[in-house]
Amino acid sequence: MESTKQAPISKPARRPHRVNAITATLGIAVLLATLFTAWTPNSLLASNLQNQLNLILTPQAEESSPIVTPRPQLRVGIVAGHSGNDSGAVCTDANGQTDLTEADVNLAIAQIVKANLVAAGFQVDLLNEFDTRLNGYRAVALISIHNDSCQYVNDEATGFKIASSMETRDVNRAQRLTTCMVDRYQNTTGLTFHAGSITNDMTQYHAFSEIDPNTITAIIETGFLYLDREILTQETGRVAEGVTKGILCFINNENVQPTPIPTFSP
């Protein structure tokens, strides 16, 4: 028997999604509006178009925390007395042979002071006695380290001496540096302040007139190489610690009891 085929039922044509078209149209309109708002007349040039478009379409990173600029390091100068020039005071043994020089002792102390200050976050220059860098040298402080005679003078020839520059533009700060140095060095080493033997060589120390007058400076003789030789050579770290603490007392504006310091006329 012959079968009867039914004609296929045609499906209605699919209507375009007006919502999607409208959404797309609005999106392009918003984008173009954004572009025209962001662009200046110069930015309408074809050469800038792609860059502007990329900038808007590229996800931007979240605003990061502000960069904290580290504080600049304060500079401190340490002069190793007589270094690079001469031996300074010379100590001899029973046979008349040199067994110790002031320059060596000064340098050993100065090197430890430098290491201490660097560890505390300062920029430190280790300078020779007549270092060319002293001309116009600028720093928050400059300390010159020396020592006194190897010869026996008397039983009172022991202890330390400190003098500051009166050529500075800030005499009050210069006196504060000296006061800090006296107090901290004496408390750290147990040595006494031997003010009575401060000489013109200290008060008129050559570097005082060479450096920038805004640099606060002092010269210290950390001991007598005869009676104080043991602490100077066997406890060098403690001696250097006393110098370091004096410098930090000044820079950090620490409390210190005023120490009477006599004024010497040239």
Side-chain angles (χ1 to χ4, degrees), residues 91-246:
C91 306
T92 57
D93 58 20
N95 298 320
Q97 301 296 315
T98 299
D99 61 355
L100 186 67
T101 68
E102 179 192 351
D104 289 340
V105 176
N106 298 341
L107 180 58
I109 296 170
Q111 288 174 330
I112 300 175
V113 172
K114 175 182 178 179
N116 291 345
L117 292 173
V118 168
F122 295 92
Q123 183 175 349
V124 185
D125 297 313
L126 184 59
L127 305 166
N128 288 331
E129 181 63 64
F130 291 99
D131 204 301
T132 56
R133 290 174 290 175
L134 286 170
N135 295 321
Y137 184 78
R138 300 194 69 175
V140 65
L142 174 76
I143 307 297
S144 185
I145 297 174
H146 290 257
N147 276 282
D148 212 324
S149 175
C150 290
Q151 306 301 318
Y152 174 79
V153 179
N154 53 46
D155 290 343
E156 283 73 45
T158 177
F160 67 97
K161 297 172 283 186
I162 296 175
S164 62
S165 171
M166 293 296 105
E167 297 184 29
T168 181
R169 291 177 179 171
D170 194 334
V171 175
N172 290 333
R173 292 184 67 213
Q175 291 178 337
R176 175 170 173 76
L177 172 59
T178 305
T179 301
C180 273
M181 294 290 294
V182 169
D183 181 79
R184 299 302 194 261
Y185 189 79
Q186 183 168 270
N187 290 337
T188 303
T189 63
L191 294 172
T192 57
F193 181 43
H194 202 274
S197 61
I198 294 178
T199 64
N200 289 340
D201 288 339
M202 296 184 68
T203 58
Q204 299 176 20
Y205 182 56
H206 70 89
F208 290 169
S209 60
E210 296 172 9
I211 63 175
D212 187 286
N214 293 300
T215 299
I216 307 301
T217 187
I219 180 173
I220 179 173
E221 292 195 351
T222 57
F224 286 79
L225 290 170
Y226 188 84
L227 291 181
D228 301 322
R229 177 168 176 161
E230 182 175 349
I231 186 173
L232 294 173
T233 59
Q234 297 183 28
E235 297 183 66
T236 311
R238 183 151 69 102
V239 171
E241 182 184 1
V243 176
T244 304
K245 287 183 175 180

